Amino acid sequence: MLQQILRDMYIDPELLAELNEEQKQILFYKMREEQLRRWREREEKARMEEAVLRKTARRNQSNGKRVQWLRGKDGEVWVWVMGEAPGDKPYEQISEELIAERARQQAQKEAEELWRQKEAEITKKFRDAMAQEKARIVAEKWKIEMEDRKAAKLEEEKIQEELKKREEEERQKGEELIRQQEEIRAKELYLSLKQAQQHSQHSDDDQEWEEQLRRSKAADEERSHKARRARDEYRRQSLRAIQKGRVAGLSHLFQGTNLSNDQEIKPNNSASPLLPPVTSSSIWERPSRPFSRDVIIRWFKEEQIPRRAGFERNTNRIAQWFHGIISRQEAEELLMNKSEGAFLVRVSEKIWGYALSYRQQNGFKHFLVDASGDFYSFLGVDPNRHPTLTDLIDFHKEEIITSSGGELLLEPCGQQKNPPDYSPLFE
């Protein structure tokens, strides 16, 4: 299963949801290692192809067209430097003219915008004044006799003339003020652009860019921390198995043990059935993944019973910790009233393998056990490979599963139903 994930670089979302945080981090670490390996292969291939292309290009160049440099009267390569040839303006002058032109255009643009605002203010000011004066005159003259209307009209025209004259004077003053401000602004912009050109290498970074960079660095540090933890856990598990020599010993014991009818059968407190005979009516071909309970039961009968999955060591009795195809919720209900260290193993519906459900002090943990090959191992957590499912359980009765959680398998959780939930697997 793990090899398939690394080959496809994809994990089904439902399967990913079954993994706890530590399993996810270690799986991410292994996928990242695979990405780096593939990247190095591509880089090496690209480097070799590039070397071949360069070699081919040199061979073709020696037989094809060539580039010849134009040479001057002195026999050297002819070079033209802007600003140094006869008739060229000095570079400093060209730069000064460009900066001055940019400053002038910017100042003119700002002056036009300022004048539009000023003109709108002047127009509104005198329009309001004229309307108010007209309203006042009308209000006053309506109180006078009809023969005074002509005098009122003349007075109104006189006032309008006066207001227009004042408006024109105000406009001229505004235009002169805008022109002066334009000249001042052009000089300011010229100095600012000149200073920016001289000190462009010392310009400050954009504040938003700095914030994004800070968040990006924080996220990188968090990912690096998680990957480091996953890598340390992976190495710890590998070194632990090598130092103990436990897996190798159990494997040797498993290979050298043959059960016979006269062997001692250890007692079991649970009423577990004896190993039934397994018959196969057709040739079994395992699908790529489990898609129904019937297929899972067929897989268990065809592949797992011959490997004595779920049985106590050296007996034909089913282990107390073994359960059938039950859900995560059902497993947690069975473990609810148990103490820390209680555990059970259930047949998984997501992968060809099992799920180990573990009771913590403040909750539960679930670990997937891959049984798709010829060994049993935790998916993404423990690199150790065990020849039997019982070997894996016995190993972690003495050795913790993860260094961060310190999980030891202390108390098996048995059946609460009659018949047991694993009975369909042995019918």
Side-chain angles (χ1 to χ4, degrees):
M1 179 61 68
L2 180 60
Q3 295 301 321
Q4 181 179 353
I5 293 172
L6 295 179
R7 183 178 63 253
D8 301 337
M9 296 303 286
Y10 171 80
I11 181 170
D12 189 271
E14 295 182 357
L15 178 58
L16 184 64
E18 291 287 326
L19 301 177
N20 59 35
E21 188 62 28
E22 294 180 24
Q23 289 176 304
K24 291 177 182 177
Q25 291 302 324
I26 293 180
L27 183 61
F28 166 78
Y29 170 69
K30 291 183 178 180
M31 294 178 73
R32 182 60 178 161
E33 276 189 334
E34 178 65 16
Q35 286 180 331
L36 289 173
R37 186 190 65 79
R38 294 183 184 181
W39 176 79
R40 292 191 184 99
E41 287 184 354
R42 287 197 302 269
E43 289 295 311
E44 180 64 19
K45 184 179 179 181
R47 187 184 64 78
M48 295 179 64
E49 291 178 352
E50 185 179 357
V52 172
L53 289 176
R54 282 201 301 266
K55 186 176 180 181
T56 305
R58 285 196 300 269
R59 189 184 304 114
N60 294 337
Q61 188 176 11
S62 61
N63 299 328
K65 298 181 179 179
R66 297 182 179 180
V67 175
Q68 294 183 349
W69 297 100
L70 179 64
R71 300 184 179 274
K73 294 180 180 180
D74 56 358
E76 299 295 331
V77 176
W78 185 82
V79 178
W80 173 69
V81 180
M82 183 180 67
E84 295 184 2
D88 285 356
K89 294 180 181 180
Y91 174 77
E92 291 77 9
Q93 183 180 351
I94 296 173
S95 178
E96 292 285 340
E97 290 178 356
L98 290 174
I99 293 176
E101 179 63 20
R102 287 175 59 189
R104 186 191 64 78
Q105 292 177 357
Q106 181 66 20
Q108 183 179 3
K109 183 178 179 181
E110 293 181 3
E112 291 175 355
E113 180 64 27
L114 188 59
W115 169 244
R116 282 195 294 270
Q117 297 176 0
K118 188 70 175 178
E119 186 178 24
E121 292 176 1
I122 293 172
T123 302
K124 184 177 183 301
K125 176 181 176 181
F126 284 96
R127 187 187 300 116
D128 294 344
M130 188 176 294
Q132 292 175 2
E133 186 64 24
K134 186 174 182 180
R136 185 185 64 81
I137 293 173
V138 170
E140 290 180 356
K141 294 308 178 181
W142 272 108
K143 299 177 183 179
I144 307 174
E145 297 294 333
M146 294 297 295
E147 61 268 14
D148 293 335
R149 286 189 177 181
K150 185 176 181 180
K153 182 67 175 178
L154 292 174
E155 185 177 355
E156 180 184 349
E157 291 176 355
K158 181 179 179 181
I159 292 173
Q160 288 180 355
E161 287 290 335
E162 182 66 24
L163 288 173
K164 287 182 179 179
K165 184 178 180 181
R166 289 170 58 188
E167 180 181 358
E168 185 63 28
E169 292 175 355
E170 189 76 19
R171 285 177 179 272
Q172 291 177 359
K173 291 180 181 179
E175 290 176 355
E176 180 64 22
L177 180 62
I178 294 299
R179 187 184 63 79
Q180 293 175 359
Q181 291 180 352
E182 179 182 353
E183 293 177 356
I184 295 173
R185 182 60 176 161
K187 293 179 180 179
E188 292 176 352
L189 288 171
Y190 172 78
L191 295 175
S192 176
L193 291 172
K194 186 69 175 177
Q195 185 178 8
Q197 184 188 40
Q198 295 173 352
H199 304 284
S200 59
Q201 64 273 23
H202 303 295
S203 60
D204 296 332
D205 294 329
D206 185 77
Q207 184 176 1
E208 182 180 357
W209 181 85
E210 288 182 350
E211 179 63 19
Q212 291 179 353
L213 181 60
R214 185 189 64 77
R215 290 197 298 266
S216 176
K217 286 183 177 179
D220 289 342
E221 291 177 359
E222 179 65 19
R223 285 193 295 269
S224 176
H225 177 68
K226 290 182 178 180
R228 188 162 50 253
R229 273 180 28 195
R231 186 169 58 250
D232 293 342
E233 175 67 16
Y234 179 80
R235 290 173 178 172
R236 186 191 68 79
Q237 294 281 3
S238 299
L239 291 174
R240 185 184 65 191
I242 294 172
Q243 292 169 355
K244 283 285 187 178
R246 176 74 170 174
V247 175
L250 290 176
S251 177
H252 178 75
L253 179 63
F254 173 74
Q255 294 173 358
T257 302
N258 291 319
L259 294 177
S260 59
N261 294 331
D262 56 350
Q263 282 182 312
E264 177 183 359
I265 299 178
K266 296 184 180 180
N268 190 345
N269 295 331
S270 61
S272 304
L274 295 175
L275 174 64
V278 179
T279 58
S280 177
S281 58
S282 60
I283 299 176
W284 161 250
E285 292 184 5
R286 185 176 65 194
S288 60
R289 57 173 298 174
F291 56 84
S292 68
R293 293 178 67 90
D294 292 339
V295 171
I296 297 172
I297 293 172
R298 176 74 183 278
W299 164 77
F300 185 85
K301 291 180 178 180
E302 296 286 347
E303 296 189 18
Q304 295 302 296
I305 290 181
R307 296 172 63 182
R308 298 185 52 78
F311 289 91
E312 291 182 348
R313 185 182 303 281
N314 301 334
T315 74
N316 284 345
R317 293 195 176 278
I318 297 175
Q320 186 178 356
W321 42 260
F322 185 75
H323 289 256
I325 308 173
I326 62 175
S327 65
R328 173 187 290 216
Q329 182 179 356
E330 291 175 306
E332 292 179 355
E333 290 176 355
L334 290 171
L335 294 169
M336 180 64 69
N337 298 323
K338 300 292 184 179
S339 59
E340 183 177 8
F343 70 97
L344 61 84
V345 177
R346 52 193 171 90
V347 179
S348 174
E349 296 181 275
K350 305 297 182 182
I351 64 171
W352 297 117
Y354 305 88
L356 188 148
S357 299
Y358 180 83
R359 182 69 165 99
Q360 295 185 114
Q361 185 176 2
N362 56 352
F364 308 92
K365 273 190 176 181
H366 303 273
F367 300 93
L368 290 179
V369 178
D370 183 13
S372 58
D374 56 354
F375 55 85
Y376 297 82
S377 66
F378 282 118
L379 185 62
V381 174
D382 188 353
N384 299 318
R385 298 181 175 185
H386 304 270
T388 68
L389 184 60
T390 304
D391 287 338
L392 184 146
I393 298 301
D394 290 346
F395 180 75
H396 289 290
K397 287 180 179 179
E398 299 179 3
E399 299 290 343
I400 59 176
I401 299 176
T402 64
S403 58
S404 59
E407 304 89 352
L408 276 178
L409 306 182
L410 302 178
E411 178 189 352
C413 178
Q415 297 287 328
Q416 294 183 2
K417 294 181 179 180
N418 192 15
D421 53 31
Y422 55 66
S423 57
L425 301 173
F426 298 97
E427 291 176 353

